[in-house]
Amino acid sequence: MKRVLTIIISFMLVVSLLAGCGGGSADTTKPADNTNTEKPADNESSAKKKYALIVKSTGNPFMEKMAEGFKNAVEEAGGEVINKAPDQPTAEAQIQMIEELVSQKVDCIAISANDPDALQPALQKAMQAGIKVLSLDSAVNKDSRIVHIQQADPEQIGRVEVQAASEMIGGKGEIAVLSATSQATNQNTWIEWMKKELEDSKYKDVKLVKVAYGDDLRDKSVSETEGLLKSYPNLKAIIAPTTVGIAAAGKVLMDKNLKGKIVLTGLGLPSEMAEYIEGGICPWMYLWNPIDLGYLAGCASDALVKGTITGKEGEKFTAGKLGEKSITKAADGGTEIMLGPPFKFDSENIGEWKSVY
Ligand code: RAM
């Protein structure tokens, strides 16, 4: 009898331990409303808010890191993430995805836009349906969003890249820009600021000969770099304000043994650029933490969905591990939330960062 009782008690103990593991680790942030014990899985998933992230395109490691940060924040908040990435970095592909998400009745759409204006009808439709819409990394116009998540001050990003290129070539010579797509809001804004910086008389001997577009596609960025070298034999520097472009240009310059003849700078992922920084092709470059950028967007999405913020200038909220963040006025008249200043990567610090992102 004693043995039978021991077996029964042990069995009950195992059952209760298993139930605790599943329930506890599945969702510790959910309200303690577990009255429906018959279908716990369905009950939990239907209660979760849906946060969609649309990035510029597939195959871009920067976008993948951004998505990682977004997921971390949404999961910390107890939500569900829906990731969308078009094969090509076009507005048309993103519009189709927005329409699908509206039909799916998601709670929030965060988007890195392939065009500032073309998404407006689709995003307005989403907002009319009660979906919280925000842009991150590459903005949509102020009427197409509630708020924008800005990586760093666009003026500073643009100016600092020209200052870097000019310093690298001793203030004299031809320079070119290798950008992403011709419609990308973020790159186009940075290029505007580059041109403004170049108006200063200290750059009178620096000539911007061309802005080329590699569309954030590796092969196109390689062929555009080769085209620049061919068309401008006196080229002294390439500024690539895109992580895909700068890595492609680094490879071309390295393969063609152009170290010391043409310098490269811009915005790059340390993990992809370490070899070109250590090898002297790219003396230094800039970026911000893409994981933190996605994380900030995830926290802001959650704050919008839960009503902690409405996107108005002056509001504040706690963005998880990033601490308190404020909503400020953006240059386009809308509002934004800023991550922080750009960070400089050079041969001194690249070793520490190349394994981080
Ligand atoms: C590419 C994308 C992205 C940009 C970075 C710097 O990965 O174009 O939008 O912010 O570069």
Side-chain angles (χ1 to χ4, degrees):
M1 183 63 201
K2 207 173 156 204
R3 240 184 107 200
V4 174
L5 211 72
T6 316
I7 291 169
I8 292 172
I9 291 171
S10 312
F11 177 72
M12 282 170 68
L13 203 73
V14 169
V15 168
S16 75
L17 275 175
L18 282 175
C21 285
S25 65
D27 195 348
T28 48
T29 53
K30 284 186 59 56
D33 177 16
N34 285 330
T35 43
N36 182 356
T37 47
E38 274 180 41
K39 287 179 74 190
D42 284 352
N43 196 29
E44 282 191 1
S45 66
S46 67
K48 280 192 177 183
K49 300 281 184 196
K50 294 190 176 76
Y51 299 78
L53 173 68
I54 308 179
V55 299
K56 281 180 166 179
S57 62
T58 51
N60 177 343
F62 178 97
M63 295 288 142
E64 284 159 16
K65 293 286 168 195
M66 207 170 72
E68 182 185 322
F70 186 81
K71 182 169 180 272
N72 293 344
V74 168
E75 288 184 352
E76 273 174 26
E80 180 189 330
V81 177
I82 299 173
N83 279 308
K84 297 266 182 190
D87 290 340
Q88 297 292 317
T90 65
E92 291 71 32
Q94 290 189 321
I95 290 168
Q96 202 182 325
M97 289 174 171
I98 295 164
E99 282 166 359
E100 283 162 18
L101 292 167
V102 172
S103 318
Q104 257 178 277
K105 296 192 173 26
V106 297
D107 296 281
C108 179
I109 298 176
I111 185 161
S112 172
N114 286 327
D115 190 294
D117 303 314
L119 309 173
Q120 185 166 330
L123 290 176
Q124 284 189 340
K125 200 171 141 202
M127 288 191 282
Q128 278 152 17
I131 298 171
K132 307 295 178 198
V133 171
L134 63 159
S135 49
L136 72 158
D137 175 58
S138 184
V140 285
N141 68 33
K142 68 175 172 51
D143 300 321
S144 308
R145 66 173 202 245
I146 298 175
V147 69
H148 175 61
I149 310 301
Q150 184 73 274
Q151 46 276 67
D153 179 12
E155 174 172 355
Q156 197 187 356
I157 298 171
R159 289 192 187 276
V160 93
E161 289 176 76
V162 165
Q163 289 158 8
S166 175
E167 191 181 330
M168 288 171 191
I169 62 171
K172 202 174 169 147
E174 292 181 359
I175 64 168
V177 170
L178 173 68
S179 191
T181 64
S182 61
Q183 296 304 312
T185 324
N186 51 347
Q187 272 88 13
N188 284 350
T189 311
W190 300 330
I191 293 168
E192 282 305 305
W193 284 112
M194 287 182 203
K195 289 181 178 165
K196 286 208 176 98
E197 177 70 12
L198 282 167
E199 285 168 12
D200 193 302
S201 61
K202 68 179 173 217
Y203 302 111
K204 64 178 180 357
D205 296 324
V206 177
K207 190 172 173 223
L208 175 62
V209 291
K210 170 99 177 164
V211 177
Y213 298 96
D215 291 351
D216 270 350
L217 302 171
R218 203 185 160 281
D219 291 351
K220 180 143 196 265
S221 302
V222 164
S223 60
E224 288 294 327
T225 306
E226 288 166 349
L228 287 173
L229 302 181
K230 221 171 172 183
S231 309
Y232 304 97
N234 297 322
L235 197 65
K236 289 282 175 293
I238 296 175
I239 301 176
T242 136
T243 58
V244 178
I246 197 172
K251 176 142 189 13
V252 173
L253 298 184
M254 181 99 131
D255 290 351
K256 292 192 183 296
N257 232 335
L258 289 169
K259 180 187 160 189
K261 295 197 180 81
I262 300 182
V263 288
L264 175 66
T265 191
L267 307 173
L269 280 171
S271 53
E272 295 187 306
M273 291 299 292
E275 105 179 84
Y276 310 123
I277 290 186
E278 283 156 358
I281 301 265
C282 171
W284 70 88
M285 61 165 200
Y286 301 85
L287 200 69
W288 39 87
N289 187 329
I291 308 170
D292 285 351
L293 181 62
Y295 183 84
L296 178 56
C299 293
S301 301
D302 184 55
L304 285 170
V305 168
K306 295 196 174 136
T308 321
I309 55 171
T310 65
K312 292 222 165 52
E313 187 185 350
E315 290 177 342
K316 290 184 196 309
F317 70 108
T318 305
K321 62 172 184 170
L322 298 175
E324 190 178 81
K325 288 280 169 188
S326 313
I327 303 187
T328 52
K329 195 158 179 113
D332 65 2
T335 59
E336 66 184 18
I337 302 165
M338 185 87 76
L339 180 65
F343 189 81
K344 180 177 173 182
F345 298 96
D346 58 18
S347 58
E348 298 283 300
N349 63 18
I350 195 74
E352 296 162 38
W353 287 99
K354 63 184 178 190
S355 58
V356 186
Y357 56 85

